[in-house]
Amino acid sequence: MNILGIIAFGMNPAACILRDGKCIAFAEEERFSRVKVSEGSFPVRAVAYCLSWSKLTLSSIDRIAFGWDVKKYPWAMARNFTSTYIRYALEERRSFHAGKEQSTLFSIAEGLTDYHPLKVRTKIIEGLRSAGLKGDIPQIEFVPHHLAHAYSSYFCSKFDKAGILTIDGHGEDLCTQLAVGEKDEVRVVETYPIPDSLGWFYAAITEYLGFLPYRDEGKLMGLAALGEKARTGNKWIEPLGKVLKIKCDKYEVDPTYTLFGGHYYGKRFTDRLAEFLTRIDPLAVPVAYGEKTQINGAAQSKYLLDTYVDIAWAAQELLERAAVMLAKKLVGKFGMENLCISGGVGLNCKMNGEILRQSGCKDIFVQPASNDAGTALGAAMYVAKEHAEDIREPLVNTYLGSGFSNDQIRAILKNSKVDFREISDPVKEATDLLEKGRVIAWFQGRMEFGSRSLGNRSILANPVFPGVKDKVNAEVKYRESWRPFCPSLADENKDDYIKDPKESAFMTIAYQAKEPMKEKLSSVVHVDGTIRPQTVTSQSNPLYHSLLTTLGKRTGYPVVLNTSFNVRGEPIICSPQEAIRCFYSNGLDALVMDNFILEKD
């Protein structure tokens, strides 16, 4: 069977193709639209790419799988929200700024109609037609969101038995799901319905500190590390523990701080949260996006004040406690030695590291497309399995996106009228530059899927050189100076640099760095001593592995600083044209693109 997997109309729309149960193409819409997360859109270009790469037409597709179960809309969802609202109605009415806003229930009701089955089917058909696709529309099957997440992680893992933990904002009426995978079966064992959303809790604090919710949660995670040294005196654990209440074997989220109530200051947190936090510290007012203040005589982002750093640390700590508690339940109560992680919150690599260290599990696998994009894949796998296809395929790499031949790249370079050289050994050319301390863009093969650049659309630097982190942040990425970078390293050398390492091919798990990395390669170590590594094997990416080992022979360190090929606020580069444009818009020294190189004076 040929199955087109889709997720759309929310965050991170994406598409994939499964042929006979195996994924052959997968990409997020943002890579083609050039709009970060492409919120609310249909993956028009991603669908067109997947069909084109797979040499399929719409008539060749047997089923369309959609990673959201719209059959629950509007009535089942309305009953859930109404019963939940009744529990908190009195507190909600007390939490409106100046008492001028309508009830949250009305705005929720408006949103429920957007996912009416007939409306969604119509929007899918319109999206396919806008992609230029003709012919009959294949049967559309709607898959429960959290099951799609669970399938995308478990059946892409190397485990034939594992606990499956899915944590996100929400999918239909659920926010968290615990499941057990054994051989070819997935069984749900526990769920947390709306409003108990760890994703909503974390998004609320993300927005409160002046970041973009459902987009900048990684920044909150990075900011939290700045509060590690002051953890013993952190005063926010107890107060935020009233928002996210963690008990011995369960948790609750009070929605009057996240959903039910006025939203005068932000969309993802209520006026009650602002009133609550400023009662503890009058200076802890919500931070506006981009807001600056004077810190040590210089204008800096306001969230860098100690109060906000401490709030970030407390929010991260509580998230980790809740996630570890859930993971321990899968390990202890259900006897699962291995864990699979998915859902948007699953991109929190610090949390994943704590699950690995504290839950008692032996190993974990985190789906690299843990956000909603991954449900396009999971939904397609679910439908394929329903039709008796073998969907198990341990994920070796994420290179299922667009690729370009040397002839195509040569033609684009000539048309762009830029100076370039054709080269026979891109590894040697790149290594020569990195050895000299140059910062390069590395564009090779097919594009990665997921949130991380993993050696095919990457910006690379040599972490041996002091100050390279500041240089890349300031001159290349144009982003905040405190933000960390990740290392790519040869898998066979991971024990030299990482404490208690596991295979970590996708930058989804944070580990403690060993002293040699802290001392010699500090540009890829965060302030709390953690790293988020990509361990590269000769099987997963032969060319990139060769670059690492070649550099290691010259410098003694088979490690590079690896960050996504883009600048702040933009999606990862997809095409050669975008690579050229990005290269000439920042402080990169060279671009190695397949068998071509561009250099600046």
Side-chain angles (χ1 to χ4, degrees), residues 419-448:
D419 292 331
F420 66 92
R421 287 190 293 116
E422 195 156 354
I423 57 179
S424 60
D425 189 348
V427 166
K428 180 182 181 303
E429 297 280 351
T431 305
D432 288 345
L433 291 164
L434 290 169
E435 191 178 15
K436 297 174 184 175
R438 306 289 193 269
V439 181
I440 69 171
W442 178 253
F443 183 111
Q444 303 289 330
R446 294 179 70 182
M447 178 178 65
E448 306 92 333

Side-chain angles (χ1 to χ4, degrees), residues 447-516:
M447 178 178 65
E448 306 92 333
F449 70 78
S451 301
R452 316 297 183 206
S453 285
L454 298 171
N456 279 14
R457 300 290 186 275
S458 291
I459 290 172
L460 307 178
N462 190 342
V464 169
F465 287 87
V468 71
K469 171 192 164 185
D470 294 336
K471 178 180 179 179
V472 176
N473 267 330
E475 300 176 14
V476 178
K477 299 284 285 189
Y478 304 133
R479 67 180 204 175
E480 301 88 345
S481 62
W482 54 270
R483 290 178 62 188
F485 288 111
C486 304
S488 293
L489 64 153
D491 180 76
E492 59 267 30
N493 299 108
K494 62 180 180 289
D495 290 294
D496 297 333
Y497 302 101
I498 305 170
K499 292 182 180 178
D500 303 318
K502 304 288 185 181
E503 183 180 334
S504 186
F506 308 116
M507 290 186 178
T508 52
I509 305 168
Y511 295 87
Q512 288 294 320
K514 285 187 174 179
E515 290 306 316

Side-chain angles (χ1 to χ4, degrees), residues 25 57 133 146 181 212 235-236 239 303 326 339 357 374 446 450 453 512 523 538 566 593:
T57 63
L133 304 177
H146 282 74
L212 297 176
K235 67 182 180 183
W236 294 103
Y303 56 69
L326 295 170
L339 298 176
R357 282 183 284 277
R446 294 179 70 182
S453 285
Q512 288 294 320
S523 290
S538 57
N566 62 357
M593 186 156 53

Side-chain angles (χ1 to χ4, degrees), residues 150-414:
Y151 270 59
S152 77
S153 60
Y154 176 62
F155 287 106
C156 285
S157 78
K158 62 186 178 182
F159 312 130
D160 60 8
K161 182 179 179 180
I164 311 167
L165 179 58
T166 301
I167 309 174
D168 60 7
H170 81 105
E172 303 100 33
D173 54 346
L174 298 181
C175 302
T176 296
Q177 176 181 279
L178 281 67
V180 168
E182 294 188 72
K183 296 184 178 178
D184 293 331
E185 298 300 324
V186 170
R187 175 171 55 92
V188 176
V189 296
E190 188 173 322
T191 59
Y192 286 74
I194 289 173
D196 294 319
S197 173
L198 295 174
W200 288 357
F201 165 75
Y202 208 75
I205 305 302
T206 297
E207 187 175 31
Y208 197 94
L209 268 58
F211 300 116
L212 297 176
Y214 289 155
R215 178 170 157 178
D216 288 344
E217 277 75 4
K219 293 184 181 181
L220 180 63
M221 178 185 69
L223 182 68
L226 304 185
E228 181 67 21
K229 288 185 178 180
R231 60 179 298 167
T232 55
N234 191 295
K235 67 182 180 183
W236 294 103
I237 286 288
E238 183 178 352
L240 288 180
K242 299 181 185 300
V243 182
L244 170 53
K245 305 169 187 176
I246 304 169
K247 302 178 182 179
C248 60
D249 65 345
K250 64 180 181 179
Y251 74 87
E252 296 177 2
V253 175
D254 188 334
T256 61
Y257 295 103
T258 60
L259 178 65
F260 294 140
H263 290 266
Y264 187 81
Y265 302 101
K267 185 177 181 180
R268 301 296 174 185
F269 65 91
T270 65
D271 303 340
R272 188 183 187 196
L273 182 66
E275 188 275 334
F276 178 53
L277 297 186
T278 53
R279 198 187 321 145
I280 298 165
D281 184 346
L283 298 179
V285 297
V287 180
Y289 180 73
E291 186 176 359
K292 304 289 185 180
T293 193
Q294 290 292 314
I295 302 177
N296 297 325
Q300 298 188 48
S301 297
K302 188 174 181 179
Y303 56 69
L304 291 173
L305 289 170
D306 289 344
T307 292
Y308 299 111
V309 170
D310 289 344
I311 290 173
W313 184 89
Q316 177 68 28
E317 174 69 14
L318 287 168
L319 174 67
E320 291 171 10
R321 291 181 186 180
V324 168
M325 176 271 295
L326 295 170
K328 283 183 174 179
K329 186 179 297 187
L330 284 168
V331 174
K333 183 176 180 180
F334 298 101
M336 296 294 110
E337 293 185 343
N338 300 304
L339 298 176
C340 298
I341 312 293
S342 60
V345 179
L347 291 174
N348 191 305
C349 64
K350 178 63 165 54
M351 177 194 78
N352 296 335
E354 295 308 316
I355 288 174
L356 179 60
R357 282 183 284 277
Q358 297 185 43
S359 70
C361 72
K362 289 185 176 180
D363 202 355
I364 69 172
F365 171 78
V366 183
Q367 165 58 245
S370 277
N371 58 22
D372 277 3
T375 63
L377 174 61
M381 297 175 100
Y382 180 93
V383 171
K385 184 177 179 298
E386 289 292 294
H387 290 84
E389 295 199 322
D390 179 13
I391 60 173
R392 178 164 292 284
E393 187 177 22
L395 194 64
V396 176
N397 60 53
T398 61
Y399 312 126
L400 294 173
S402 300
F404 302 85
S405 68
N406 270 322
D407 288 343
Q408 289 175 309
I409 294 173
R410 184 186 296 107
I412 291 168
L413 288 168
K414 287 182 176 179

Side-chain angles (χ1 to χ4, degrees), residues 28-38 41 45 571:
E28 295 99 318
E29 181 67 9
E30 68 167 19
R31 307 293 177 86
F32 306 97
S33 70
R34 309 309 303 157
V35 178
K36 191 76 172 174
V37 308
S38 292
S41 67
R45 301 164 187 83

